[in-house]
Amino acid sequence: MNGIRLRPSKLRETPVRGMVVRFAFGAVVSVAAGLVGLRWGPVAGGVFLAFPAIMAATLTLIEEEEHRRDPAAQDARGAVLGATGMVAFAACVWALATLLPAWLVLVVATVAWAVVAGLLYLGFGPRHGR
């Protein structure tokens, strides 16, 4: 079973162009979410930020770097699970922002993201869906 691993040495293997693409997509999606928030309110902006921020960068990298179907499917599955966790984060911020101090809201929302994404990973991670 493949577990979650942190390998900082892999950063040296990532081309600079790939990093630039990731950050550019992240910035564009963040600006778009901000514009949506200005037009339709912070709730709509937050929801926009939760899904596309992870998906755009991840799917771009998958298309560019992965040519085999199975690894690309696993990466896309992981992106969806992480993005779903971000919805839990956004929901916590929306529900608690006026009730608790900002630092506590961020802690609770981060824990909610980690729990939701982690549970989804355990239920639908790489060993599933093959």
Side-chain angles (χ1 to χ4, degrees):
M1 177 168 97
N2 291 337
I4 298 172
R5 295 181 304 267
L6 178 64
R7 293 183 286 171
S9 62
K10 287 291 202 180
L11 288 174
R12 282 183 240 129
E13 297 174 17
T14 304
V16 173
R17 182 177 182 276
M19 295 277 211
V20 170
V21 168
R22 289 177 203 180
F23 287 110
F25 269 109
V28 167
V29 169
S30 296
V31 169
L35 293 173
V36 167
L38 288 173
R39 174 69 174 99
W40 291 286
V43 172
V47 171
F48 256 77
L49 190 58
F51 276 111
I54 296 171
M55 293 295 279
T58 301
L59 294 178
T60 298
L61 292 173
I62 291 168
E63 190 275 327
E64 186 177 294
E65 296 177 8
E66 301 285 348
H67 297 290
R68 294 186 345 223
R69 184 178 181 158
D70 190 47
Q74 289 179 23
D75 287 345
R77 184 182 306 116
V80 169
L81 301 179
T84 304
M86 286 299 294
V87 171
F89 180 95
C92 283
V93 171
W94 178 73
L96 301 174
T98 60
L99 303 174
L100 300 173
W103 69 269
L104 185 56
V105 171
L106 291 177
V107 169
V108 170
T110 301
V111 169
W113 167 78
V115 168
V116 169
L119 289 174
L120 288 172
Y121 179 82
L122 291 173
F124 300 101
R127 59 185 155 73
H128 299 281
R130 285 188 182 201

